[in-house]
Each structure stands twice: as structure tokens, then as C-alpha cells.
Amino acid sequence: MRRTAGLVLLALAVFFAALAPLLRWYAYPRLAKIPAGEYQTMVLQAKNATLLDYGTMTARTVPQVTIVQTLKGDVQASERIERTAGRDVVVWDGLSYVQGPDGKMVSKVPERYIFDAHTQEPVHATGEMVDGDPVRRTGIEFKWPFLTQKRDYEYFDAQTRTTAPIHYRDTRDFRGLKVYYFEQTVPWTEVPMPKTMPVQGITPQTVARTGTTRWYTTVRRFWVEPVTGAPVYGEEIHREELRGGTLLGGRAKVTAFAGHVKMREDYIEHTVAMVKSNRTLVLLLTAYLPWGFLLLGLVLMSLSLLLEARSRRPHRPAAAEPAEPAEPRSVTA
Amino acid sequence: MRALIAAATGLAVALALVLTLTALGTPTGKTSPKPLLTTVPAHP
């Protein structure tokens, strides 16, 4: 009976001990993925920002500029690309919609971002674009890989359509979460005019004919939760200028937009809550279950060996049993 | 010999479980019917 129990414990011990590395190194890369049908919105605000008045072509301070970002996963497109890519792919259609204080559109820039569902590496396929311009991304955008490391990453900038390092600065506490702080500075760079302009009748082509060009610089900051790779907070110190040409009436440059863009408070709270929940799921696959199963395997193995050792112990000899009382001898006088 | 069979059984079941789990994978879901926003949402 003891031998059978020992063998069952041994089988269970091997089962759990084997499950630990299998979960961490085989199941985790295949199961921890961005869902293809993800839909996310984000609202960012720049208080007391500078905005160009296209009527007078002068910059003015406005109480608030709002940026609404939407990311929407296209499941059909991801399944189509997966057939040739041979890996799980996510296709995000994004829209950055900028709204002035009067509620009118300032700019809207669509983009299509295609990436590996687990590693976040860009995947190149037809349709990858920013504002209708085909691009070939390198580096990450919007999100860091799972188990983010304390190092610089290559980050794609949609305005310049280029990739540059985003630097790991330090580790911080953000509302109870350990986060890695990353920062990237994009120096003044000439960038294309948005395809959709805020004034009817003005197109990038009509602006180009005046000789006026658009320039942009930004300091991009992200607070990234390292287990999920999800930014829980982001900021940009963003400046845009129109330079040269006849459109500016002899001026060398005019500010088109300048502002310190920050996430709206309710979106910060929502993002932190979502990331805390997803973090637990990733930790289950990478730490809690593998370590728990390994420990359980070791305990079961010890019990199995103990039972085996007891079952092999030789039986005690009969002499060890309590001796029967000796028969009384008859005493004769 | 019996110990070897028990250990092999434990290993085989662990492999089968993990392979089944990963083969099933995670649900891909559907493309959301919600639009790309051009208005400021009141809340997340």
C-alpha cells in the first residue's frame, strides 16, 4: 500500500516539477498576447496651450486642447496577415483626433500599426501607414513588450515617421505600481502637413505651393509597468511651427501648437486599474504558477521518497514484541 | 522499474496538458463595432 502511494506521489511530483518550466518557457510566450480585437481609447489634454488661428495665421493661447486617441484591433486583417507571417499578429487602426477649445477639429491623423502579439515587434504588411503614407516601422509604438527590461528601446515616432531610442531613466512608484520611466526627445524636424487640415479648402498641396513647411519637436515621457509593458501614464511637451513661405506674410515662423500634453485623470485611474488586473495574469504564467508548482513538486518528491524509505525498512523481529509473563514455578519446600 | 513508469507518466501528462492549453490558445475575439472617436468621451 505504501509503495503504491509512493509511486502516485512520484508521478505527481514529476508532473508539477515538469509543469513549472513548461509554463514559464513554453506556454507563456504562446498565451501572453495582446488580443487581436482590442479596443482602447485615451484622452489627453494640454491646458493653456498655444494654437494657430488659421483665420489670422497668428498663434494664440487657448484654455485647452484635447487629443482623443483610439486604437481598434482589426481581427480579419490580423488573421489574413497571420497566414503568411506564421505568427500571431495584431493590427491596430489608430486615430489621433485633436480638438480645439471650441470643439472644432485641429487635426486628425490615422495610422495602421501591425505587430507581433507577444513580442510587440513590428510586422511588415500592406496597409502599414501613418496618415495615408506607407511606412515601414522599426521599434515599438504605444506599448512595450511583456517583461520590459531596464534598457533603451527603439520607439517609432509617427510625426517624423522615424525610429529613435527612448531611454530608460529610472524606476519609480506610480500610484502603488512599480514602473520604469522612459524619455525620448525628438529634435526639431521637418514633418509632413496632415492630410486633413482644419480649414476647408486648404490642403497639404496648397500649403506646399506657398513654400511654408511644418516643423515639430517633442519630449515624450512614459511610465511603463514592466510586467505587462503597458504605459500607465504618458506626457508630451510638444511644439509645432510653420516656417517660411508666403503663407506667413513675411514672418520666419509661427507656432502652430505648443503645449504640455497629459493624460486625463479618469483615464489614468482606468489605465492603472486595468494594468493591475492584467499584471496578475502575466505574473501567474511567469512567476506564481511556475514557482508554486516547482515547490509543490519538491514537496511531493520528498514525501514520495519518505514513503519509499519506510516501505523498505525491515520488519522488527518478534523479540521486540512484549514478552509473555513467565509461568510461575512451583516451589517445594 | 515501476518508479520509472510513474515518473514518465507524470512527465507525459504535464506535456499533454501544456500542449493542449497552447493549442487551444487565447480567443481572438471580434473586431469592435465601436468607431474611431472624433468626439471627446465623457469617461473611459
Side-chain angles (χ1 to χ4, degrees):
Chain A
M1 183 65 192
R2 269 184 187 169
R3 293 207 84 170
T4 311
L7 288 172
V8 170
L9 283 177
L10 175 67
L12 286 171
V14 174
F15 170 76
F16 285 113
L19 211 50
L22 282 170
L23 272 181
R24 174 62 184 81
W25 285 292
Y26 187 84
Y28 157 70
R30 287 161 179 83
L31 295 177
K33 291 186 292 190
I34 307 292
E38 185 80 353
Y39 179 89
Q40 275 186 27
T41 57
M42 178 58 62
V43 175
L44 303 113
Q45 295 170 323
K47 306 268 186 195
N48 301 316
T50 304
L51 198 61
L52 180 65
D53 181 338
Y54 279 88
T56 59
M57 288 306 284
T58 53
R60 62 190 173 98
T61 303
V62 296
Q64 183 172 292
V65 171
T66 308
I67 300 155
V68 183
Q69 271 187 350
T70 317
L71 294 172
K72 177 173 163 173
D74 186 333
V75 178
Q76 287 77 31
S78 66
E79 285 172 349
R80 197 174 56 245
I81 295 167
E82 277 169 10
R83 277 182 223 129
T84 50
R87 52 180 166 168
D88 290 318
V89 167
V90 176
V91 177
W92 269 351
D93 288 322
L95 181 69
S96 289
Y97 185 87
V98 185
Q99 193 179 75
D102 51 4
K104 289 183 180 166
M105 188 267 289
V106 174
S107 77
K108 58 175 182 182
V109 177
E111 60 180 297
R112 173 164 274 204
Y113 175 36
I114 308 165
F115 60 97
D116 184 289
H118 177 73
T119 64
Q120 266 80 68
E121 277 174 33
V123 173
H124 305 298
T126 308
E128 188 183 3
M129 62 91 178
V130 174
D131 204 14
D133 297 333
V135 292
R136 193 177 169 84
R137 285 177 175 80
T138 52
I140 53 172
E141 195 182 357
F142 300 115
K143 187 192 170 295
W144 270 249
F146 294 105
L147 304 183
T148 302
Q149 297 169 1
K150 293 180 184 179
R151 64 171 176 88
D152 298 351
Y153 282 84
E154 293 290 307
Y155 194 90
F156 180 78
D157 180 75
Q159 290 277 355
T160 61
R161 276 72 152 164
T162 59
T163 302
I166 189 161
H167 302 288
Y168 166 79
R169 295 288 185 216
D170 54 33
T171 301
R172 299 179 180 185
D173 180 273
F174 187 83
R175 304 192 182 194
L177 277 173
K178 186 185 88 170
V179 294
Y180 294 168
Y181 172 66
F182 289 89
E183 197 174 284
Q184 182 189 49
T185 301
V186 179
W188 280 107
T189 309
E190 187 181 345
V191 292
M193 292 281 176
K195 297 282 191 303
T196 311
M197 301 289 281
V199 181
Q200 284 229 326
I202 296 183
T203 64
Q205 291 76 26
T206 57
V207 176
R209 279 198 286 274
T210 67
T212 301
T213 52
R214 178 169 169 255
W215 291 70
Y216 144 94
T217 182
T218 199
V219 178
R220 179 172 286 132
R221 296 167 175 166
F222 282 112
W223 284 250
V224 177
E225 196 287 309
V227 174
T228 56
V232 287
Y233 182 61
E235 283 184 9
E236 269 197 42
I237 301 168
H238 185 120
R239 293 192 68 188
E240 287 178 31
E241 288 178 354
L242 297 183
R243 295 184 185 177
T246 54
L247 196 65
L248 306 184
R251 289 169 296 171
K253 61 183 181 182
V254 63
T255 300
F257 173 75
H260 193 155
V261 182
K262 298 176 180 180
M263 275 168 67
R264 202 170 75 185
E265 181 56 37
D266 53 348
Y267 274 87
I268 301 174
E269 288 169 16
H270 173 74
T271 308
V272 168
M274 186 176 69
V275 169
K276 277 184 179 171
S277 157
N278 289 340
R279 181 179 185 275
T280 309
L281 292 175
V282 178
L283 281 174
L284 265 177
L285 280 175
T286 57
Y288 298 158
L289 288 178
W291 282 111
F293 285 162
L294 187 66
L295 200 69
L296 186 60
L298 288 174
V299 170
L300 290 170
M301 181 65 83
S302 309
L303 279 174
S304 161
L305 290 174
L306 190 74
L307 281 181
E308 182 64 17
R310 285 196 172 185
S311 70
R312 287 187 182 193
R313 193 178 294 172
H315 289 292
R316 288 175 180 177
E321 287 168 16
E324 285 178 22
E327 276 182 27
R329 287 183 187 170
S330 55
V331 178
T332 52
Chain B
M1 186 63 190
R2 281 195 295 174
L4 202 64
I5 291 168
T9 306
L11 185 64
V13 174
L15 273 169
L17 180 67
V18 169
L19 288 174
T20 308
L21 275 177
T22 51
L24 289 173
T26 48
T28 49
K30 289 179 181 174
T31 303
S32 171
K34 295 179 199 167
L36 297 172
L37 296 183
T38 54
T39 53
V40 182
H43 52 77

